[in-house]
Amino acid sequence: MTDRRGVVAKRAENLMPGVPYVRGWTQARRSTGGLAAELTALGLESDFPDLKADVNVSGDGLVDLGTVRPEAARLLAELIVSGLTAEMAMGTDAWVAEAGTGITRRNPSAA
């Protein structure tokens, strides 16, 4: 998915035979849907109007946030930091991953 410097490969514009684009795009679509649901729950869907799934030249899925205002990017960064802080405070047993979405939620049985 990335080059040796950790940069995401460019998006696929011309499809090549034998590259699993659909698999990568499907994975990106699931993750995009999960992110969109969380942004909607926080009332932030209008800050990410161009959110979409995409695929790169290697067939790896990409989540494209689109062009966002600096305030929206700052708020997203603050939400990520807040979530990581809460996770660290609760311990790793308090969080579980939702299968196939890449989303982690609080484990009710760990309370």
Side-chain angles (χ1 to χ4, degrees):
M1 180 163 171
T2 59
D3 67 12
R4 61 184 172 75
R5 295 173 299 153
V7 178
V8 174
K10 68 181 188 171
R11 62 181 297 275
E13 294 179 1
N14 298 314
L15 304 182
M16 301 293 294
V19 178
Y21 297 109
V22 173
R23 182 177 14 191
W25 183 86
T26 301
Q27 181 182 22
R29 181 70 187 129
R30 273 191 237 112
S31 295
T32 301
L35 178 57
E38 295 299 325
L39 290 170
T40 298
L42 293 167
L44 299 175
E45 69 276 6
S46 63
D47 289 311
F48 296 87
D50 298 325
L51 180 65
K52 66 180 179 184
D54 207 342
V55 67
N56 70 12
V57 294
S58 302
D60 299 317
L62 304 173
V63 175
D64 184 351
L65 299 177
T67 304
V68 298
R69 296 177 303 111
E71 296 83 8
R74 181 186 48 76
L75 180 56
L76 183 58
E78 288 174 0
L79 289 168
I80 291 169
V81 170
S82 295
L84 290 172
T85 302
E87 182 176 337
M88 290 170 52
M90 298 177 93
T92 56
D93 291 341
W95 297 90
V96 293
E98 278 187 23
T101 66
I103 296 175
T104 304
R105 296 197 182 275
R106 190 171 187 297
N107 183 355
S109 63

